[in-house]
């Protein structure tokens, strides 16, 4: 049996015909707090309370995906600035990375996933806050949200195809091993956000 060629050598049409498991194997995985911009290679992530936004420029056929968390606590002083703006920073840095590769903000369309209500120590209704933030940010920036799968009592596996703008979302009950892994990773991410960074986030 011939080995599957590397993702960079597959066309958008070829990727579209692959089963989800093969796409997941070929995809670049991003962890909580991460983001990626690609032209051909699929991008994937596992979501619990966090949200991923996929942005796509249909003319250039280039896209990006992020994975962010809005902490449940409120800012009380300047040291919390980095924490509270985690979602803003994640969105801004991805938009700027797309524009650096020639994408136009005016052409971008979005798909959003996640914000599940799962049992973690992150706090009450954090998934709902993440989902609300994503929708409000996109509306404020004038980027159409063309598809979404948000909230609910489950985690999600998301695969995004930057070449076509297609996204595949698989819901998973929180009892599954992958769902528990999402809880573990997002808890560690939330704890890292709570640590003082010694610097301010500067938005673009």
């Amino acid at each position: 049996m011939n080995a599957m060629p590397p993702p960079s050598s597959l066309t958008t049409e070829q990727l579209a015909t692959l089963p989800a498991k093969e796409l997941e194997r070929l995809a670049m995985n991003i962890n909580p707090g991460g983001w990626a911009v690609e032209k051909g290679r699929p991008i994937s992530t596992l979501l619990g309370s966090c949200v991923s936004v996929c942005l796509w420029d249909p003319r250039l056929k280039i896209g990006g995906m992020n994975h962010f968390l809005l902490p449940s606590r409120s800012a009380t002083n300047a040291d919390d600035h980095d924490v509270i703006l985690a979602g803003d920073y994640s969105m801004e840095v991805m938009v700027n990375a797309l524009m650096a590769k020639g994408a136009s903000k005016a052409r971008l369309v979005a798909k959003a996933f996640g914000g599940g209500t799962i049992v973690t120590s992150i706090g009450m209704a954090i998934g709902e806050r993440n989902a609300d933030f994503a929708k409000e940010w996109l509306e404020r920036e004038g980027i159409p949200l063309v598809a979404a799968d948000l909230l609910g009592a489950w985690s999600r596996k998301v695969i995004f195809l930057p070449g076509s703008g297609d996204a595949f979302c698989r819901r998973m009950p929180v009892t599954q091993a992958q769902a528990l892994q999402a809880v573990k990773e997002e808890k560690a991410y939330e704890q890292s956000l709570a640590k003082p960074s010694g610097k301010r986030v500067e938005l673009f």
Side-chain angles (χ1 to χ4, degrees):
M1 187 179 209
N2 294 331
M4 177 66 66
S8 59
S9 67
L10 296 173
T11 66
T12 299
E13 291 75 17
Q14 288 173 322
L15 286 170
T17 64
L18 296 178
K21 285 187 177 180
E22 189 60 33
L23 286 175
E24 189 172 339
R25 188 185 71 81
L26 294 172
M28 170 190 296
N29 185 69
I30 56 172
N31 294 318
W35 59 275
V37 168
E38 290 285 334
K39 197 169 181 67
R41 185 177 182 180
I43 310 169
S44 68
T45 198
L46 178 64
L47 299 166
S49 299
C50 287
V51 162
S52 280
V53 174
C54 303
L55 295 178
W56 188 57
D57 183 325
R59 181 178 297 177
L60 286 192
K61 301 190 182 302
I62 188 172
M65 173 196 274
N66 61 11
H67 183 149
F68 66 82
L69 169 74
L70 288 173
S72 56
R73 64 195 179 94
S74 297
T76 55
N77 56 55
D79 292 336
D80 289 320
H81 188 75
D82 287 2
V83 177
I84 298 305
L85 293 183
D88 288 278
Y89 178 79
S90 183
M91 293 301 301
E92 293 285 351
V93 74
M94 184 168 64
V95 168
N96 279 275
L98 284 164
M99 292 172 65
K101 291 182 177 293
S104 167
K105 188 175 180 180
R107 291 195 300 263
L108 294 178
V109 294
K111 297 181 179 181
F113 306 91
T117 303
I118 56 178
V119 180
T120 73
S121 64
I122 294 175
M124 296 295 291
I126 185 63
E128 185 177 350
R129 288 188 59 214
N130 290 328
D132 287 345
F133 166 81
K135 290 184 288 186
E136 290 166 3
W137 192 96
L138 291 167
E139 183 177 2
R140 184 174 70 242
E141 297 297 321
I143 298 175
L145 180 61
V146 297
D149 188 52
L150 298 164
L151 308 179
W154 42 73
S155 62
R156 293 166 171 88
K157 183 72 178 186
V158 179
I159 304 173
F160 177 54
L161 304 183
S164 66
D166 293 329
F168 304 92
C169 177
R170 184 172 76 247
R171 296 177 177 179
M172 301 180 297
V174 295
T175 53
Q176 290 190 7
Q178 280 190 311
L180 296 177
Q181 181 65 26
V183 172
K184 179 180 177 182
E185 291 180 359
E186 291 184 1
K187 180 180 177 181
Y189 174 36
E190 188 254 352
Q191 290 173 341
S192 72
L193 288 174
K195 295 177 182 178
S197 66
K199 61 181 180 180
R200 297 279 298 260
V201 169
E202 183 173 330
L203 298 183
F204 302 91

